[in-house]
Amino acid sequence: MPRGPRALCAPLALALAASCAAHAPPDHAMTTPSPSAAPPASSSLAPSPLADDAAAGVTDPALRRLLQEHWDWQMRHSPVWATRLGDHRFDAELGHHGPADIAARRADIEAFRDRAKALARTSLGAEDATTAELFLEMLEIRAGVARCDVEQWSVSSFDNPLTDHNRLPELHVVRTPEDGKNLLARYRQMPRTLDERMENLRRGLAAGRVASRESLRRLIAQIDRQLAKPPREWPLAAYSQSADARARRKGWSAGDEEKLTSDLARVVEGEIAPAFRRFRAFLEAELLPKARPDDKEGVSALPGGEACYRARIFEHIAVAIEPEELHATGVREIARINGEMRALGQKLFGTSDLAKILERLRTDKALYYQRSDELTRAAKAALDKARAALPRLFITLPRTDCVVQPVPDDEAPYTTIAYYREPHYDGTKPGEYFINTYRPDIRPRFEMEALSFHESIPGHHLQIALAQERGALPAFRKFGGSTAFVEGWALYTEKLADEAGLYTGDLDRMGMLSYDAWRASRLVVDTGLHHKGWTRAQAEQYMREHTALTPSNIENEVDRYIAWPGQALAYKVGQLEILRLREEAKKTLGDKFELRAFHDAVLASGAVSLPVLQANVLRWIKAWKAQ
C-alpha cells in the first residue's frame, strides 16, 4: 500500500500529510491530495518550478491554463507536498485546516469543477480529452466525498496527527541551514494544527459524528507510548542526530549542527509535547465517552453515512458499483482462492482442511522470523530477484531506484505490514519500501515475497516511478490517479510474479494465495462493516476463517478499514479488471499477443480510472492487431 502524496492514506484535515487529505494518508483516495484551505499566498511569489509539469503534454490553451492554475493552487495549499516535489516556495508553512479553511477549499474545488465541466464540452484532441475527463473526475470525486465531513470524525491509530507530524522530518529533507530554519518554523506550527484538529472534531461531536470507541482507545495508547518517552527522544527531536540526516548536511559547521539539534529539541519539549498532552486529554475526556460503540463502527452509523459510503466507493474505484455486488464478488473470490489453498495445503501439509491449513500457517514457529534484521534481508532479496526479472516482463523500466526501509518505531505497533512511499520528484530520495519489523515473531516468512513484489517491484514502485518519469503527462496524472488502478496493479503483479517463476517454493506460493484471499476478504469485510452493519469482531472473525493473516495483523487491518471506508475495495476490483483485459487481449490477438507490450499499454498513461484503462487497452489491441 502506498503511503504518500498520492493520497493513499486516510482522509485527513492536515496538509502536513499531503499524502492524505485524503491516504490520504497514508495512505498512499487515489486522487491527488486534497489541499488545506489556507489563505492564498501572495501573488508576488514566483511561479512554481513545476509549472510546465502541470500541463505537460497538453495542447489546448484553455486546458493548459486551467491545469496550471489548479496545480499552483494545490502547491500553495499543500505546502509539505510542494516541498517534497521540489517546489520550495512554501517550505516554512504547514497550511491552515480550521472550519473556515475547509469551507474555502471546498468552494475552490467546486469552482475548478465548474470550469472543467465547461471545458469538457468543447472540442479537444484525443489525449487532451482524456486528460480533461480524468481532471473532471478527480474534482467530482473531491466534491462528492466532501459530504463525508471526515475531518469531523476520522481519527484512529491509522489516521492521526501523531504519525503525520512524526513523518515531517522525512518529507522535509534538510540540506542547508535555510532548510533547517524552515523545518523549525513548521515545528512551531504543529500546536496550531492540533488545535484545529480538535476544533473540527468538536464540531463533529456536536453534529453526532464521532470516531469508534476501539479506534480511539488504540490511538490513545499510541500517543501514550510516545508521551512516555522524554520529548528529546521523540522522532521529531531525534531526527537531526540521525546518521542519514547528518550525511545530507555536508559542509555544516559544528555550531550549525548543534544549533539545529538544540532548536528542534527545545520546540518539541516546550511546545509540541504539551500540545499532544492536550490533544490526548481531549480524546479521552470529550470523544471517548461519546464514541461509536462496537456495534456501530461502520460509516453508515454516522449521519448521512450511506451516502458517504457510496461516495467513498466511487472515490476509490471510479465506477458506480453497489455495495451488495461488491460483497458478492468478494464471497465468490474467497471461495475460489480458498479452494486453491486447500489443494496446495494437501501438497504442503498433507491436509485439504482449510482450518487446519490456516492453523498450521499461524502457529508453526518455523514459518516465522526471529529477528528484525531477517525481515529486511528477506525483503531486499525479494526486491533484487524481481529487479533481475524485469526485462522479461516489461519493455519500459523505471530509472529511479527503490530501497528497503524499516517502518518507524513510533508507528510500527499500530500500522500495517508494509507500505511504499514514492520517490521525491526532485531526485532527493528514491522510492522506499517500508517493512514492519516490529515483533518479527508475528511476521510470516511465507508472505515476504508476495508482500515485496506488491510494494516494490514489479508492483507499486515500478508503476508509480514510471508515471513520474512520463514527461508528457500533466502533473495531476503523474502524482495522482485511481486507487483501483494503483492497488489493482500491485495485486496483479503478485500473480504475475508466480507466472514468471519468482516464488521460491510452494510455501511462498501459499503466501501469495493467502494475500489474494486477504484482498478478496476486504470486499466482504469493508461492505460488511460500512453497509451491512457488521461489528469489528465479525470482520476479524471472517478474516481469521479465510486468510492466513496473524491475529495482530487482522486487528490492525480491520482498524484501517473502519478508519478508511471504501479504500480496501479497490485492490480486488482493479486486479480483476486488469486480468479481464489481459484475457480479452489474448483472445483477440492470439499468437500476436505479447505480454511486455500489454504491460506497456496498461502503464503508459499513468494511474487512470478503470473506464479509461479499458478504452486505452482496447485501442492498443486494435493497433497491435493491425501491425
Side-chain angles (χ1 to χ4, degrees):
M1 174 187 69
R3 294 281 292 274
R6 291 179 170 261
L8 289 171
C9 37
L12 304 179
L14 297 174
L16 161 62
S19 46
C20 307
H23 4 314
D27 194 21
H28 267 131
M30 275 312 303
T31 53
T32 43
S34 300
S36 65
S42 168
S43 59
S44 64
L45 282 171
S48 168
L50 299 175
D52 289 340
D53 292 74
V58 175
T59 59
D60 181 81
L63 180 57
R64 286 186 61 85
R65 184 165 58 252
L66 178 58
L67 294 179
Q68 288 170 337
E69 290 178 14
H70 178 265
W71 185 257
D72 191 64
W73 176 83
Q74 282 210 135
M75 293 298 93
R76 292 172 188 272
H77 300 318
S78 297
V80 177
W81 191 36
T83 297
R84 187 172 178 178
L85 293 177
D87 184 344
H88 298 290
R89 297 176 296 165
F90 316 107
D91 279 3
E93 302 174 23
L94 278 186
H96 294 260
H97 321 287
D101 306 310
I102 292 168
R105 180 193 71 196
R106 291 177 180 175
D108 287 345
I109 290 171
E110 290 175 1
F112 279 119
R113 180 189 60 182
D114 291 343
R115 291 174 62 189
K117 279 183 178 178
L119 188 58
R121 292 191 290 266
T122 63
S123 177
L124 297 171
E127 191 59 34
D128 280 1
T130 297
T131 291
E133 176 185 348
L134 291 169
F135 183 64
L136 177 57
E137 178 185 89
M138 177 186 73
L139 295 169
E140 293 278 19
I141 285 172
R142 288 193 190 172
V145 298
R147 74 187 65 180
C148 293
D149 293 308
V150 292
E151 74 282 348
Q152 296 185 12
W153 57 268
S154 182
V155 62
S156 69
S157 60
F158 181 72
D159 166 21
N160 68 80
L162 181 71
T163 52
D164 295 337
H165 285 316
N166 283 345
R167 201 174 294 138
L168 178 61
E170 176 194 332
L171 303 178
H172 179 126
V173 176
V174 174
R175 283 185 165 78
T176 68
E178 187 65 21
D179 293 335
K181 290 178 184 177
N182 288 330
L183 181 62
L184 184 64
R186 282 177 159 163
Y187 273 30
R188 288 183 169 135
Q189 295 170 58
M190 288 184 182
R192 189 240 320 143
T193 67
L194 283 166
D195 290 341
E196 290 169 338
R197 190 69 179 260
M198 287 188 283
E199 182 182 6
N200 291 328
L201 292 169
R202 284 190 175 106
R203 286 169 62 88
L205 197 58
R209 298 184 180 94
V210 65
S212 75
R213 182 180 295 127
E214 180 58 25
S215 292
L216 283 168
R217 285 174 179 158
R218 290 164 66 90
L219 174 55
I220 290 169
Q222 187 176 358
I223 295 174
D224 283 344
R225 189 170 184 261
Q226 180 151 313
L227 289 174
K229 300 177 183 178
R232 288 176 179 260
E233 294 180 12
W234 287 18
L236 289 169
Y239 156 76
S240 59
Q241 303 170 51
S242 72
D244 286 346
R246 286 181 178 273
R248 297 189 189 107
R249 302 195 297 267
K250 296 176 181 177
W252 281 41
S253 69
D256 286 337
E257 289 277 4
E258 183 179 345
K259 185 174 188 327
L260 176 63
T261 298
S262 62
D263 284 349
L264 294 177
R266 185 169 59 253
V267 172
V268 172
E269 189 166 21
E271 300 175 37
I272 298 173
F276 270 107
R277 284 191 283 271
R278 291 196 305 274
F279 184 69
R280 190 258 185 228
F282 158 75
L283 295 177
E284 185 172 57
E286 298 186 40
L287 291 193
L288 191 59
K290 298 183 179 179
R292 303 203 308 274
D294 295 346
D295 61 345
K296 295 185 182 299
E297 293 190 287
V299 71
S300 58
L302 296 172
E306 279 290 346
C308 170
Y309 188 47
R310 290 173 188 276
R312 300 308 293 273
I313 290 174
F314 191 76
E315 173 188 15
H316 294 295
I317 63 178
V319 179
I321 305 179
E322 289 296 312
E324 289 291 345
E325 183 181 347
L326 291 163
H327 192 90
T329 299
V331 171
R332 287 195 303 272
E333 278 291 284
I334 280 289
R336 178 187 64 79
I337 299 162
N338 282 172
E340 293 185 36
M341 293 174 73
R342 289 187 181 95
L344 190 55
Q346 182 68 50
K347 183 178 180 182
L348 283 168
F349 307 129
T351 180
S352 60
D353 185 303
L354 183 63
K356 290 180 180 179
I357 294 167
L358 297 180
E359 180 70 13
R360 174 73 178 273
L361 292 171
R362 289 195 179 108
T363 60
D364 187 342
K365 296 299 182 184
L367 303 181
Y368 288 75
Y369 291 99
Q370 299 301 314
R371 300 190 312 276
S372 296
D373 63 320
E374 288 184 287
L375 279 98
T376 51
R377 284 203 306 272
K380 289 176 182 176
L383 173 58
D384 290 342
K385 182 191 294 188
R387 187 184 283 117
L390 286 183
R392 291 193 282 122
L393 303 171
F394 301 92
I395 297 171
T396 306
L397 303 178
R399 298 186 299 272
T400 311
D401 195 16
C402 180
V403 299
V404 175
Q405 301 279 20
V407 169
D409 291 342
D410 62 285
E411 63 177 286
Y414 309 97
T415 195
T416 52
I417 302 167
Y419 55 82
Y420 170 78
R421 193 161 290 147
E422 64 233 57
H424 284 204
Y425 188 56
D426 62 3
T428 55
K429 293 190 82 173
E432 295 171 297
Y433 161 31
F434 285 83
I435 182 76
N436 196 332
T437 61
Y438 173 74
R439 287 199 58 196
D441 60 301
I442 64 171
R443 312 296 176 187
R445 296 175 184 274
F446 57 85
E447 291 178 351
M448 179 57 72
E449 290 187 338
L451 177 66
S452 299
F453 300 147
H454 179 108
E455 297 293 347
S456 61
I457 292 172
H460 284 319
H461 177 71
L462 180 133
Q463 181 265 309
I464 290 172
L466 282 178
Q468 285 193 2
E469 293 168 10
R470 302 258 183 209
L473 280 183
F476 84 94
R477 293 177 62 180
K478 287 178 182 175
F479 305 114
S482 166
T483 316
F485 184 102
V486 173
E487 296 297 357
W489 171 262
L491 182 53
Y492 164 79
T493 64
E494 294 178 31
K495 181 178 177 63
L496 176 67
D498 188 32
E499 295 167 344
L502 295 184
Y503 290 102
T504 299
D506 284 336
L507 196 59
D508 304 283
R509 293 189 66 253
M510 180 65 85
M512 174 198 70
L513 289 175
S514 176
Y515 267 25
D516 204 22
W518 169 26
R519 278 43 171 265
S521 75
R522 288 171 166 178
L523 293 177
V524 181
V525 167
D526 196 272
T527 53
L529 286 164
H530 298 296
H531 177 66
K532 291 178 171 292
W534 282 18
T535 64
R536 184 185 295 257
Q538 282 177 280
E540 292 177 355
Q541 180 64 24
Y542 188 88
M543 296 184 76
R544 281 195 296 271
E545 291 175 354
H546 295 284
T547 79
L549 292 179
T550 61
S552 174
N553 287 336
I554 288 172
E555 289 170 10
N556 285 340
E557 282 296 314
V558 171
D559 194 58
R560 167 188 161 192
Y561 308 152
I562 289 169
W564 199 359
Q567 191 270 351
L569 304 170
Y571 296 67
K572 254 297 163 183
V573 172
Q575 179 216 36
L576 291 174
E577 179 64 2
I578 294 171
L579 287 170
R580 185 191 70 80
L581 290 170
R582 191 175 81 169
E583 286 306 305
E584 184 169 347
K586 290 171 73 173
K587 181 179 178 181
T588 303
L589 296 174
D591 292 342
K592 294 187 73 173
F593 177 80
E594 210 278 306
L595 184 63
R596 299 196 313 154
F598 171 77
H599 289 155
D600 255 27
V602 169
L603 297 172
S605 297
V608 296
S609 64
L610 297 185
V612 172
L613 173 63
Q614 176 179 281
N616 287 351
V617 171
L618 292 179
R619 278 196 300 270
W620 171 78
I621 292 173
K622 184 177 180 180
W624 197 258
K625 188 176 183 179
Q627 290 182 353

